[in-house]
């Protein structure tokens, strides 16, 4: 696997070929001035959408909230008749859909502050809580701050592998990673738990860099979330069904599992398919606004599908747009996506996008490949893959 | 019982589901439904609002803070209650200001069935108890609204003199009701000029013996304070204090909790606060992670990215991408505890 970069010539003709799990230059193939121009154009798109936010967007989020709540109520009601197989299937499907929307289009996006502009304390990043095992505050730190600021910077963005997997050539191989596919399967199954442990920086505790004592308050917060979800899904609702507790219990467990598998798939497809680029810490030095945008763009990957698919991914199918503008309302990503794609084409930048099945297959392939130690001679060739990072602009 | 219900709805509250049926069934947010809209003048409309059960009623002359969504954004404004004490529904009478986003929305674009947010009634501009034998009301424009609440509460009180001013006959809110009250003088100022309080001696010779209530523009209130002079104990004033708006300048004094910090035009509130040694929450420092938000208590601020000046009391402000534009006050209390 090699990659070539043309020397910047001032015209953005050469397409940048990017390779999964390899660091790439901050300003691949572009001149400094072009990168900053790119930044200004993206800022203009952001400003335009911000100025246009209004009733239409508010109606959208209100309708999603309403839909999710009806789905949940309906799904749980049907599960009370879950002794009948069609009711169990329909109820579980509705509850799964409800949990997915609650997690992705609502929880993820509201906690990003996408709807703070409405000044509704009920739909606000500072008050929203989700049906999950990771507490809102901890998640906002690791996700909004760490992941979105240091996107795909190996060593800084802990979403690269979640402290569990080897997702980059840059992560040193250890025998533990032989089980990369297994760890991934477990992570997918218990994804909400993985995220909670991730917030805890469990890998640092395991490595002895962090004491168990120091994370006690966080552990307690997770415990509270876990207790609440367990009480609701595995105790109270089944108990309410009396003799029919088993269908309710299994329906609820299935809905949680479906949500885990789905969110894991969508989220891993956001940054790890072929074409999504990873970066090294040095590339953060003196990073400009334009370079930051470029890193978000090159480090993310989109998924293709219809409106319902986008809703069910929480519009994270527009991962590129989301990473460029994490606080713009999610319903706007679909609108600006063609424009972002056109800009990428103009500058010769890869706009990684594909159907879920293909992207996920690529992710799994990478996970399998990285389970094995790098073969001699195929280790990343830093000089070939990391041409001179663009010098920082004068302040 | 409530706890058991919460176990079913966590992390939401039972009311979040019950609100699907009726938004008024909220215990964390007092809400009201508009059940009546009556045009008073070309510019003024009376809204009758049925409040949620938590509403504790009002005293005649008090005001209510009302939260209204305009183009998807929540705005809070304060309006006097115009209905009599003791009614289950509350009424506000809103006069549209030429560039009043919220007043125009309430007057022209709030149909029956709309949901609004409410706070409990407040304010000291109320009738003393027991009600004095002789009263004088001096009002102008929409200043009649709290006084109308008093008049409606008093009913056929024998001795109330009302002196009300409005630009023209068409601008008089509650014109019919006022006309029907003995002892009421309505002045049309475009025709007869503004009321000079020196005229009181002629219009209401015993004004010094009356408990007086004055509500209207600042000029009228200032004049009344001066005119009553030593008799000020008898005088009750209601000032509609406009919210602090930005002067449009860059930089200013920002109060973080109890610390005043001078913020220059280019600096973010976060940088300036930290520079001055205030411990502030922070994160990405580029406006994306929302870790640094603090509640704005007073004043307005500037979005350093777009230049937009914004801010109303209670807004959550991203300190890392926000600069000062005049004076402002931020709470250091961290974001509201999660449910």
């Amino acid at each position: 696997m090699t990659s070539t970069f043309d020397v910047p010539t001032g015209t953005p003709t050469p397409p940048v070929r990017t390779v999964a799990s390899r660091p790439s230059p901050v300003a691949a193939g572009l001149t400094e001035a072009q990168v900053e121009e790119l930044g200004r154009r993206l800022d203009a798109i952001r400003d335009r959408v911000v100025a246009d936010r209004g009733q239409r967007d508010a109606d959208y989020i209100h309708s999603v909230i309403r839909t999710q709540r009806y789905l949940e109520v309906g799904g749980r009601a049907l599960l009370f008749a879950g002794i009948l197989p069609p009711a169990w299937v329909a109820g579980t499907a509705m509850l799964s859909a409800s949990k997915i929307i609650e997690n992705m289009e609502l929880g993820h996006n509201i906690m990003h502050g996408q709807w703070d502009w409405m000044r509704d304390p009920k739909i606000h990043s500072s008050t929203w809580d989700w049906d999950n095992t990771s507490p809102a505050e901890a998640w906002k730190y690791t996700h909004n701050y760490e992941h979105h600021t240091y996107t795909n910077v190996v060593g800084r963005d802990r979403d690269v592998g979640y402290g569990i997997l080897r997702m980059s050539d840059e992560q040193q191989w250890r025998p533990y990673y032989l089980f990369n596919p297994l760890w991934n399967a477990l992570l997918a199954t218990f994804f909400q738990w993985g995220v909670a442990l991730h917030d805890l920086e469990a890998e640092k505790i395991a490595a002895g860099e962090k004491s168990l004592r120091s994370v006690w308050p966080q552990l307690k917060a997770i415990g509270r979330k876990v207790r609440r979800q367990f009480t609701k899904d595995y105790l109270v609702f089944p108990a309410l069904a009396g003799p029919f507790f088993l269908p309710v219990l299994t329906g609820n467990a299935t809905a949680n599992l479906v949500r885990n598998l789905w969110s894991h798939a969508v989220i891993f497809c956001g940054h790890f398919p072929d074409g999504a680029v990873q970066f090294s810490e040095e590339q953060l030095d003196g990073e400009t606004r334009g370079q930051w945008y470029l890193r978000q763009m090159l480090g993310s990957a989109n998924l293709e599908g219809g409106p319902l698919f986008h809703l069910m991914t929480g519009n994270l199918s527009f991962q590129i747009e989301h990473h460029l503008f994490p606080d713009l309302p999610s319903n706007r990503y679909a609108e600006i996506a063609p424009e972002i794609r056109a800009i990428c084409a103009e500058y010769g930048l890869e706009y990684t996008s594909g159907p879920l099945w293909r992207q996920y297959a690529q992710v799994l392939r990478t996970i399998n490949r990285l389970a094995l130690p790098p073969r001699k001679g195929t280790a990343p060739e830093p000089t070939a893959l990391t041409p001179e990072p663009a010098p920082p602009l004068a302040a | 019982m409530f706890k058991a219900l919460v176990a079913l709805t966590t992390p939401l509250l039972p009311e979040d589901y019950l609100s699907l049926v009726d938004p008024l069934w909220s215990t964390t947010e007092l809400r009201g439904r508009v059940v009546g809209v009556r045009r008073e003048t070309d510019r003024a409309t009376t809204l009758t609002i049925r409040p949620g059960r938590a509403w504790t009623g009002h005293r005649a002359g008090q005001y209510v803070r009302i939260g209204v969504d305009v183009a998807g954004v929540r705005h809070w404004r304060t309006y006097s209650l115009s209905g009599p004490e003791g009614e289950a529904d509350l009424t506000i009478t809103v006069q549209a200001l030429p560039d009043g986003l919220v007043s125009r929305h309430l007057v022209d674009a709030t149909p029956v069935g709309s949901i609004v947010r409410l706070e409990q009634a407040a304010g000291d501009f109320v009738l003393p108890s027991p009600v004095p034998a002789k009263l004088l009301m001096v009002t102008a424009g929409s200043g009649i609204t709290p006084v109308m609440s008093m008049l409606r509460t008093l009913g056929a009180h024998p001795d109330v003199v009302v002196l009300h001013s409005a630009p023209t006959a068409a601008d008089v809110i509650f014109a019919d009701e006022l006309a029907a009250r003995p002892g009421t003088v309505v002045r049309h100022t475009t025709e007869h000029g503004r009321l000079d309080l020196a005229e009181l001696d002629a219009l209401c010779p015993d004004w010094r013996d009356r408990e007086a209530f004055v509500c209207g523009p600042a000029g009228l209130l200032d004049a009344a304070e001066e005119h009553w002079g030593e008799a000020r104990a008898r005088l009750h004033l209601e000032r509609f204090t406009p919210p602090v708006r930005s002067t449009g300048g860059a930089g200013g004094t920002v109060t973080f909790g109890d610390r005043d910090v001078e913020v220059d035009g280019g600096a973010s509130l976060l940088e300036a606060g930290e520079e001055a040694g205030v411990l502030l929450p922070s994160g990405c420092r580029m406006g994306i992670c929302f870790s640094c938000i603090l509640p704005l208590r007073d004043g307005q601020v500037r979005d350093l990215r777009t230049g937009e000046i914004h801010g109303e009391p209670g807004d959550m402000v991203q300190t890392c991408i926000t600069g000062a534009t005049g004076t402002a006050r931020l709470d250091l209390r961290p974001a509201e505890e999660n449910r």
Side-chain angles (χ1 to χ4, degrees), chain B residues 287-301:
Chain B
I288 60 165
C289 83
F290 291 74
S291 303
C292 64
I293 54 179
L294 291 176
L296 182 69
R297 286 293 156 228
D298 280 315
Q300 289 197 302
V301 291

Side-chain angles (χ1 to χ4, degrees), chain A residues 257-272:
Chain A
L257 174 67
V258 169
R259 187 259 307 261
N260 279 348
L261 295 173
W262 176 254
S263 46
H264 168 271
V266 170
I267 287 162
F268 268 66
C269 285
H271 298 290
F272 305 117

Side-chain angles (χ1 to χ4, degrees), chain A residues 46-47 50 53-55 58 62 66 68-70 72-73 76 102 111-113 116-122 124-131 136-137 140 144-145 148-149 225 228-229 231-232 236-237 240 289 292 326-327, chain B residues 4 6-13 15-17 20-21 26 28-29 31 69-76 117 282-291 293 303 305-306 308 310-312 315-316 318 335-339:
Chain A
R46 180 180 190 284
D47 291 350
V50 164
R53 289 182 305 205
Q55 193 62 48
H62 284 133
R66 240 185 350 262
Q68 184 268 324
R69 288 177 188 171
Y70 281 127
E72 167 146 14
V73 171
R76 292 195 187 274
E102 195 266 352
M111 287 196 281
H112 257 296
D116 282 14
W117 59 274
M118 296 202 307
R119 301 201 289 226
D120 182 341
K122 288 248 172 200
H124 199 275
S125 65
S126 64
T127 58
W128 190 266
D129 198 4
W130 56 357
D131 180 19
E137 284 308 318
K140 279 185 281 189
N144 287 7
Y145 171 45
H148 273 273
T149 311
K225 296 286 296 173
R228 286 184 188 164
Q229 195 188 73
T231 308
K232 177 172 72 166
V236 183
F237 273 106
L240 281 176
R289 177 108 182 118
W292 182 84
D327 60 347
Chain B
V6 171
L8 294 177
T9 60
T10 181
L12 299 177
L13 296 171
E15 66 178 55
D16 293 319
Y17 293 94
L20 295 173
V21 185
S26 171
T28 55
E29 223 180 34
R31 300 176 191 162
D69 291 350
V70 184
V73 182
R74 179 82 36 92
H75 299 271
W76 286 90
R117 269 70 186 172
S282 68
C284 66
R285 292 171 188 272
M286 56 191 298
I288 60 165
C289 83
F290 291 74
S291 303
I293 54 179
D303 187 324
R305 298 171 300 184
T306 62
E308 188 211 355
H310 62 96
E312 287 182 21
D315 281 2
M316 300 298 275
Q318 287 177 275
E336 199 178 311
E337 188 68 25
N338 279 301
R339 290 193 295 259

